[in-house]
Amino acid sequence: MKVVKDITAVQQISEFYRCTGKKVALVPTMGFLHEGHTSLMLRAKQENDILIVSIFVNPTQFGKGEDFDKYPRDIVRDFHICEKSGADYIFNPEAEEMYGKDHFTKVTLSNVTEKLEGDFRPGHFDGVATVVTKLLNIAKPHRIYLGQKDAQQNAVLKRMISDLNIDTELIICETIREENGLARSSRNTFLTSEQKDKASVLFHVLKEGEKMITREKITDTEIIYEKVKNIIKEKSPDFQLQYYKITDNNSLEEIRDLNGYTGEILISLACKVGSTRLIDNIIFTK
Ligand code: AMP
């Protein structure tokens, strides 16, 4: 496994493998790797010849007052995890290499970026779309592997790849969870063990939402929102639920009446647990 910090070098490496008929995969990450990331790497390696993992805490996707400075980092540990998971190359650039002294271009999407996370993290998806466009132009992968954990990010990137005719296939892998249901996240390292235990309520309310829709046949989403709020209030009164929304998984439009609805349903949430902001989601059909 090689660690590369230089954009041109990665472009040349990828070009070489593409010319020799090899399939190149990219797993983009912000590091502090866990089993969610390794599941993407293992699958990407299995389905392709060459695996490039990018590790870059992208400053442009963090807003003012967010946790860019304190985002967890442990690059040596990350290198070991990548090596064990079959990575061939790690692309680990400095911010200076990615953005230079001045960088005038921003990739902005409308609509899918404007709700859910967009309400709480303005500008976040501009940063994500821009850095992923750059990573796709640098690693030139046949396939990019992403986790379902970031459902809105996936919807945004799917749309961007389609709108901009980017020749990369997007593959979404299931969310890896702790035994109690808590989705693995680099930010879980900020949680105390008590907070981790209590955070199981988040997956619990997602499953409850699914159950109310698929088994109890509740069609008025307001009823579900009310029940979910009460469960969280009762089990973890100190948690601050920012949103819990039932939407169409592609358009991210909110569904108010599930009567006759046949598409894929996304229930997503964001919740502050102490000073740590967690997101999670579940996708299903009726
Ligand atoms: P991050 O390093 O948090 O930016 O995540 C990099 C990639 O790993 C994204 O595509 C995430 O959706 C994915 N990922 C993060 N956590 C998980 C998880 N628990 N299960 C599966 N994929 C994940």
Side-chain angles (χ1 to χ4, degrees):
M1 187 187 78
K2 281 208 173 81
V3 179
V4 189
K5 293 185 127 357
D6 183 78
I7 289 173
T8 317
V10 180
Q11 284 172 322
Q12 285 168 354
I13 288 164
S14 180
E15 198 53 42
F16 168 78
Y17 287 113
R18 291 181 74 100
C19 285
T20 53
K22 303 282 192 222
K23 290 279 180 222
V24 179
L26 172 68
V27 173
T29 81
M30 296 208 298
F32 209 73
L33 305 175
H34 50 71
E35 281 174 36
H37 298 112
T38 53
S39 72
L40 305 186
M41 291 186 222
L42 292 171
R43 177 155 171 210
K45 184 61 186 182
Q46 200 175 26
E47 297 176 355
N48 300 275
D49 301 303
I50 299 297
L51 170 58
I52 303 174
V53 177
S54 62
I55 301 179
F56 179 57
V57 185
N58 174 36
T60 65
Q61 69 188 69
F62 288 80
K64 276 203 185 109
E66 290 189 352
D67 57 354
F68 174 71
D69 288 331
K70 81 172 217 223
Y71 195 83
R73 293 161 170 92
D74 189 342
I75 198 69
V76 175
R77 180 173 157 272
D78 286 349
F79 289 165
H80 287 300
I81 293 174
C82 288
E83 187 144 46
K84 272 200 273 169
S85 309
D88 298 290
Y89 294 92
I90 295 181
F91 177 47
N92 176 223
E94 300 300 327
E96 173 85 18
E97 174 73 358
M98 285 298 268
Y99 293 108
K101 283 205 179 64
D102 38 20
H103 191 281
F104 298 146
T105 307
K106 213 191 242 185
V107 179
T108 301
L109 286 86
S110 53
N111 201 300
V112 277
T113 54
E114 285 157 16
K115 37 210 128 197
L116 307 172
E117 287 296 285
D119 285 336
F120 292 87
R121 304 189 70 188
H124 168 66
F125 289 116
D126 290 354
V128 170
T130 304
V131 81
V132 173
T133 302
K134 289 166 75 70
L135 291 170
L136 293 173
N137 284 327
I138 293 166
K140 302 184 212 178
H142 293 94
R143 302 192 180 106
I144 181 171
Y145 289 77
L146 305 168
Q148 190 199 304
K149 160 94 181 354
D150 295 86
Q152 186 173 13
Q153 176 168 289
N154 297 339
V156 168
L157 296 178
K158 206 161 146 189
R159 192 73 219 193
M160 180 187 87
I161 284 175
S162 159
D163 286 353
L164 299 182
N165 312 102
I166 297 175
D167 189 16
T168 298
E169 187 185 352
L170 182 152
I171 291 167
I172 295 170
C173 308
E174 68 172 296
T175 302
I176 305 298
R177 301 177 177 282
E178 306 276 355
E179 250 172 58
N180 72 356
L182 173 64
R184 301 241 174 189
S185 163
S186 306
R187 290 186 171 98
N188 289 357
T189 189
F190 297 134
L191 302 176
T192 64
S193 56
E194 193 200 343
Q195 285 174 324
K196 258 189 203 160
D197 286 347
K198 283 170 79 184
S200 63
V201 74
L202 302 179
F203 187 49
H204 174 69
V205 291
L206 292 171
K207 294 296 283 178
E208 278 299 303
E210 180 186 12
K211 191 175 91 188
M212 285 185 249
I213 294 169
T214 57
R215 286 204 239 147
E216 296 167 23
K217 307 288 177 202
I218 294 175
T219 54
D220 180 353
T221 52
E222 278 307 322
I223 296 174
I224 299 170
Y225 293 154
E226 214 36 54
K227 286 198 177 171
V228 162
K229 271 186 216 148
N230 288 335
I231 295 174
I232 294 182
K233 224 185 261 166
E234 196 182 298
K235 294 204 171 187
S236 304
D238 49 328
F239 284 16
Q240 270 178 280
L241 186 66
Q242 291 190 329
Y243 65 83
Y244 176 103
K245 286 252 166 80
I246 300 171
T247 60
D248 174 88
N249 186 37
N250 278 313
S251 67
L252 305 184
E253 290 299 335
E254 194 166 356
I255 309 168
R256 292 183 193 281
D257 180 4
L258 286 150
N259 238 327
Y261 182 81
T262 53
E264 255 185 339
I265 297 168
L266 165 71
I267 309 184
S268 55
L269 63 78
C271 186
K272 289 276 288 260
V273 176
S275 57
T276 307
R277 186 173 184 277
L278 301 177
I279 59 168
D280 200 357
N281 69 80
I282 192 170
I283 298 171
F284 58 94
T285 52
K286 280 210 291 183

